[in-house]
Amino acid sequence: MEAAPINPSDLGLLLAAADWKNPKVGGTPGLPTCTAATALSANALRSLSARIDVSMPVGNEGAGTVVAAGSARGAQALIGRTVAVLGGAMFAQFRTLPVDQCLVLPSGTTAREGASCFVNPLTSLGMVDTMRREDHKALVHTAAASNLGQMLNRICLTDKIPLVNIVRKADQEAILRAAGATYVCRSDSATFMQELTEALVATGATIAFDAVGGGPLAGQILSCMEAALNRSAATYSRYGSSTHKQVYLYGALDMSPTTLNRNVGMAWGVGGWLLTPYMQKIGPQTLQALKDRVAAEIKTTFASRYSGEISLAEALRPDVIEAYAKRATGQKFLINPTKGL
Amino acid sequence: MEAAPINPSDLGLLLAAADWKNPKVGGTPGLPTCTAATALSANALRSLSARIDVSMPVGNEGAGTVVAAGSARGAQALIGRTVAVLGGAMFAQFRTLPVDQCLVLPSGTTAREGASCFVNPLTSLGMVDTMRREDHKALVHTAAASNLGQMLNRICLTDKIPLVNIVRKADQEAILRAAGATYVCRSDSATFMQELTEALVATGATIAFDAVGGGPLAGQILSCMEAALNRSAATYSRYGSSTHKQVYLYGALDMSPTTLNRNVGMAWGVGGWLLTPYMQKIGPQTLQALKDRVAAEIKTTFASRYSGEISLAEALRPDVIEAYAKRATGQKFLINPTKGL
């Protein structure tokens, strides 16, 4: 393993929602340990009871060079090739995986370039595919200046899919505008609801993928979708628009409860969205087609940027933990398990 | 028209969420008018803008005797028969409808007995059918002592479907226990969440139909479903149970925002459920089979009780409005448009 990103989806397992201010550092420089200073609440502990005292290897994805292979068909041919892999426990020096779980990167692609071939690329492709499967024609995305959001913006520009980006701040808007985004709405605007409604009228988007999860945002998106749909309603309908409006929560940047005002008619849904069941649903052939597209466009559409490249030992340094625990836009770390060896 | 129930689904159109305390009464005894004393809020008015100054005939369903018919196939044969009808504008003395929208009641069935053949019967049958279509094996229902809830309880007992009834009060529990319900959980209990979880473990219910809509209830049901599923989990899964949990909101007894805590894993959904799109989805043949069952069992499984039978003029009397506007359990009125004529 030569490169493995710390994704938001790794942080729950890695940090267990503990408070990482002033942790206790122990072990040796080569094999450090890091323990949260304050205990988890009884409530948090209850939901984590099944993992107490259980070893939990972390790291959803990564890339590296095949150094040994078994006798399975095609396995020996991989020796020396740079491959991207998905499957957990990737924050490690070596990883053994079935040959068909290895995505061979185009020659000239480094492990760093191919480290994030799955989680963000397949999630953003999965959003576009889900939009089509569920008969929508345009997308809404929140926390849209994230690494994933920028990727989704590139896919939508390439595939000519109208995308409404929702961000919180001016610098996040600037990132997306510079990347060619047409619709960017800022939730810190006093006229956010009006601006979002106008963007929804213009695009016809009736499905959203929301990384924020908590607070009023998912409900606001549904309300604005309903307002946009009612703009063209000819007569009063007491049950609102009959067009289905959907928000999928795929993240939890805001851990507070989701609040829905329900001024959205009756044709609406909110639910969880997760990559793994999506991949199971579409089946191996469709999934391989998506992976092949990722490999082919890994230096363009699906390129990821990292704010730092760290060793496994550095990933346990308190200042580094503090940096990645923030889940801040533009703060994405790459673990290089060969660094410092 | 000889009998038409005032259903909760009629009240939105009839009362427009206005305050009906001390309304202004006008008109004549035979043709009275009743106007709310206080104006609606600007916000409420905005969502009702499309119906201002538009005549809005009310009454989803009813029954009566066919007194005249056209030349369509089968129409003349209906003359003199008692039929149940669905289609709006039923709070009236006469109603013209296509022949295939008339459900002929078994002989010996009165209009009063057949007045509620559609809204509650098809909604409760639709809940059971939706449960099966979406691969669940047991049901949760809230506000479960309602006319509809008692009907659903009878269907589930007949069809041997495990049903978890949620009610707010002791007298509501008593109604359901007397009707043979096995699982009744009271949301006013200090140990409501534990009791609900145990009922969900026992039944395996992973779908709920919620008439309350607002507040924490829908989220509590999802949380308890997740807790029940995790009871049998062998290992820790950071994304929670992979079994889909669904709550459909089909009513709005509580108009406050719906709050979801999201301690439910990622495989969950909350959404609106409405009879009309459900009927469109299942198609005319399946729908007719459901209607035939309702007609055959209208005096047993699908029997409705009414707390009062009123004339069209009485439906506008302030004390009567106050009674049906409460949406209280056991307070269901039947309009008899022939009364007092």
Side-chain angles (χ1 to χ4, degrees), chain A residues 6-335:
Chain A
I6 303 182
N7 284 313
S9 53
D10 294 311
L11 291 178
L13 199 57
L14 201 57
L15 304 177
D19 179 1
W20 289 96
K21 287 222 176 79
N22 306 316
K24 280 175 263 183
V25 175
T28 63
L31 207 62
T33 64
C34 189
T35 310
T38 48
L40 288 168
S41 72
N43 211 9
L45 265 181
R46 199 157 33 238
S47 73
L48 296 171
S49 60
R51 62 173 283 188
I52 292 171
D53 291 331
V54 180
S55 172
M56 289 273 138
V58 190
N60 280 322
E61 65 182 339
T65 307
V66 179
V67 292
S71 57
R73 193 185 151 100
Q76 287 294 321
L78 293 183
I79 289 183
R81 297 297 302 265
T82 304
V83 299
V85 282
L86 176 75
M90 297 298 176
F91 297 169
Q93 285 175 269
F94 298 94
R95 186 73 169 85
T96 310
L97 283 158
V99 65
D100 60 3
Q101 271 182 253
C102 298
L103 181 64
V104 179
L105 295 169
S107 60
T109 309
T110 64
R112 181 184 168 109
E113 287 166 334
S116 298
C117 271
F118 301 100
V119 177
N120 281 355
L122 294 180
T123 298
S124 47
L125 285 172
M127 290 173 179
V128 172
D129 184 49
T130 299
M131 175 201 81
R132 288 201 187 99
R133 282 170 190 261
E134 300 185 2
D135 290 328
H136 304 271
K137 58 178 191 175
L139 273 171
V140 179
H141 189 227
T142 73
S146 66
N147 211 307
L148 192 157
Q150 294 181 51
M151 205 172 273
L152 182 63
N153 181 52
R154 289 193 293 269
I155 295 170
C156 289
L157 287 173
T158 305
D159 296 3
K160 299 194 181 0
I161 295 160
L163 171 68
V164 178
N165 298 279
I166 298 176
V167 297
R168 282 166 305 150
K169 295 176 195 166
D171 59 335
Q172 294 164 338
E173 177 176 3
I175 289 170
L176 287 163
R177 295 276 181 210
T182 309
Y183 303 99
V184 187
C185 296
R186 275 170 54 189
S187 55
D188 66 345
S189 161
T191 50
F192 169 59
M193 297 288 279
Q194 289 94 304
E195 284 149 22
L196 178 55
T197 303
E198 293 308 323
L200 294 170
V201 168
T203 57
T206 45
I207 185 169
F209 287 87
D210 174 31
V212 176
L217 188 56
Q220 288 173 325
I221 294 169
L222 288 173
S223 298
C224 292
M225 284 176 175
E226 179 69 4
L229 288 164
N230 286 337
R231 193 73 73 82
S232 55
T235 55
Y236 173 71
S237 162
R238 71 181 123 161
Y239 295 123
S241 158
S242 60
T243 302
H244 185 79
K245 301 157 288 289
Q246 180 70 37
V247 178
Y248 285 115
L249 312 185
Y250 75 96
L253 292 173
D254 181 341
M255 310 280 279
S256 72
T258 310
T259 56
L260 308 169
N261 273 320
R262 302 203 317 292
N263 53 350
V264 298
M266 292 298 282
W268 63 276
V270 171
W273 194 93
L274 196 60
L275 180 59
T276 306
Y278 165 74
M279 292 194 299
Q280 285 161 352
K281 190 169 79 176
I282 64 173
Q285 280 188 317
T286 307
L287 181 59
Q288 192 57 50
L290 296 182
K291 287 181 182 175
D292 291 344
R293 178 173 177 186
V294 175
E297 301 175 32
I298 192 63
K299 294 193 184 186
T300 53
T301 314
F302 302 104
S304 286
R305 282 186 198 169
Y306 305 99
S307 52
E309 186 169 318
I310 55 177
S311 69
L312 283 168
E314 285 167 336
L316 294 183
R317 233 170 58 193
D319 59 323
V320 178
I321 292 177
E322 198 184 335
Y324 62 68
K326 267 187 201 151
R327 296 167 163 86
T329 304
Q331 281 280 24
K332 182 160 190 165
F333 287 85
L334 189 70
I335 293 181

